[in-house]
Amino acid sequence: MTDISFSGKESLFYFLSRMISLTLNNEELKTMISAFWVSNKRVDKNILLIQDAENLSEDFIKEFQSFVHNNFSLSLPLEISQEPIQLKKIPIHNKITADPDRIYMDGCFDLMHSGHFNAIRQAKALGKILVVGVHSDAEIARNKGPPVMNEQERYALARSCKWVDEVIEDAPYSPTITLLDSINCMYAAHGDDLSINENGDDCMSILKREGRCKIFKRTEGISTTQIVGKLLLMTKEAWCNVSTPLKSNELIDQEFEKTSSGLKKSLLTTSRRISEFSNKKEPKPTDTIVYMDGTFDLFHIGHVETMRRAKEMGDFLIVGVHDDQTVNYYKGSNFPIMSLHDRVMCVLSTKFVDEVIIGAPWNITKQLITGFNIKIIVQGTVHKGDPEAKKWRKGSVDVDEDPYEVAKEMGIYREIESANKLDTQDIINRIVENRVNYFSKFQVFTQREKKYDDNKVFVQEV
């Protein structure tokens, strides 16, 4: 028997209607089929096919019925010809030829965290080539409210990820079969949570219905909603200095505390996940090893650009990430926003980084330099101990010591111009300036997350 492929439901429905028409003209066939479906249908060799036919969704059946009503008019009397019908041989161009090894995934990728990067990692593991679509500012605003990071920052950060092979800018919020076919991707990948578009529909519904969507596990305990919530909480004191056209600051305070009370989550990191993020690389004896350190909180393109320039200075880049206690001591009571493991996995996701030191010391020591055979130590022009940056950090300490003193004495310290001056403060300022819009968005997405948590089932991580 020859297999037949259909480009879409319309082709399939025309085919089904033709087969029904032919069957209705043959009394023997009609009787045999009717008898079969009222019997027990226990035909072992075809049992799976029979189960598939019985389990057709109501939506599919309704679509077929609607198709018949819309496309076959009864305004003229039906004439059944007794002459054999000559069927036109129409060349079939509808066979799916998209590459099953090319996987598509999309997203806003706003305020990137380890949950985003773990989603990208899992999507890549489902194939060989990963194409990532990033939504524009306008597309995000239309479907879920304004993003914090602008589209150029988000495009660049997606391109810097080591699991991403291609990036599509201004990707549609709801992907279609046409989109997948145009980029030669057989499947789209998505987390086990629903993504809702401006019409209140599941963005992936079309692809799921056509069997072209693969589902992976959403990362527990971390989300952009959660990060925005923390930023809203830490900027409450700054709200009094900004005009509030819609709500009083006091009312926002009360509503925020009420809304955020059910959003206390922690990132659940496993040794397996850390291992999956690791590059598992060792430097060669002849490699020039470059070292840079930092907090890397609210991971952004400014961090990545400095890493890229640091990597260009040698062969092997090691990045030191300070632990939560150290960051809290030097930067103040509200920091870090993201936990140590979250920040480490963000850094490991970048294609320019070869290795990470987890819980690196604030002050660089000779022991650290010798132990890792470091030849060059780099810092961007946006310094981690910049006194100007401490003005808005409540509870931060003032220290006179230079964390790079030893490296400077050894003549291995280098400072590189920070190509992108974006800083944590800039991101917080964006939240402050648009706090009413972000708070409204925070309320909506907090409820969606709660619904997801209440109804989630186990999904194996890829």
Side-chain angles (χ1 to χ4, degrees), residues 173-187:
Y173 205 81
S174 298
T176 62
I177 297 294
T178 302
L179 172 66
L180 289 192
D181 289 345
S182 70
I183 56 176
N184 194 27
C185 291
M186 176 69 84
Y187 301 106

Side-chain angles (χ1 to χ4, degrees), residues 248-388:
S248 71
N249 296 317
E250 292 77 12
L251 183 57
I252 291 179
D253 285 0
Q254 293 170 10
E255 291 185 3
F256 174 79
E257 296 292 351
K258 181 180 178 181
T259 306
S260 62
S261 61
L263 199 65
K264 307 297 184 184
K265 298 179 184 178
S266 298
L267 175 65
L268 305 177
T269 309
T270 63
S271 57
R272 174 183 177 267
R273 187 178 297 159
I274 291 285
S275 176
E276 292 290 344
F277 272 68
S278 170
N279 290 315
K280 303 177 179 67
K281 291 172 65 176
E282 291 286 341
K284 297 191 291 290
T286 56
D287 282 349
T288 298
I289 299 175
V290 182
Y291 178 80
M292 67 175 288
D293 63 5
T295 302
F296 306 106
D297 204 11
L298 298 178
F299 197 65
H300 55 73
I301 192 59
H303 295 135
V304 173
E305 278 299 312
T306 304
M307 290 174 188
R308 180 183 64 79
R309 293 188 170 200
K311 178 62 180 284
E312 289 174 352
M313 300 178 75
D315 307 301
F316 194 93
L317 178 61
I318 300 176
V319 176
V321 183
H322 306 312
D323 62 39
D324 295 348
Q325 186 176 1
T326 299
V327 176
N328 182 262
Y329 178 77
Y330 284 100
K331 296 199 172 184
S333 57
N334 291 321
F335 292 91
I337 302 298
M338 299 161 70
S339 71
L340 173 61
H341 286 159
D342 196 2
R343 293 181 284 116
V344 164
M345 286 188 284
C346 287
V347 172
L348 279 171
S349 301
T350 304
K351 62 178 65 173
F352 310 111
V353 175
D354 297 296
E355 181 61 288
V356 166
I357 297 176
I358 303 174
W362 185 266
N363 294 321
I364 294 174
T365 63
K366 193 172 188 304
Q367 180 185 14
L368 174 73
I369 294 168
T370 305
F372 288 91
N373 195 27
I374 297 168
K375 302 301 181 186
I376 300 172
I377 290 180
V378 172
Q379 181 180 208
T381 49
V382 177
H383 293 181
K384 67 179 183 181
D386 186 358
E388 287 298 312

Side-chain angles (χ1 to χ4, degrees), residues 98-147:
D99 189 343
D101 288 329
R102 285 176 60 86
I103 305 296
Y104 174 77
M105 77 170 293
D106 62 14
C108 303
F109 305 111
D110 193 22
L111 291 176
M112 287 282 274
H113 51 72
S114 63
H116 289 123
F117 288 116
N118 196 38
I120 293 172
R121 180 193 66 78
Q122 291 184 82
K124 177 62 178 282
L126 295 171
K128 294 179 181 178
I129 301 293
L130 181 62
V131 182
V132 172
V134 184
H135 310 313
S136 67
D137 295 344
E139 188 79 347
I140 296 172
R142 183 164 56 251
N143 285 276
K144 62 187 295 186

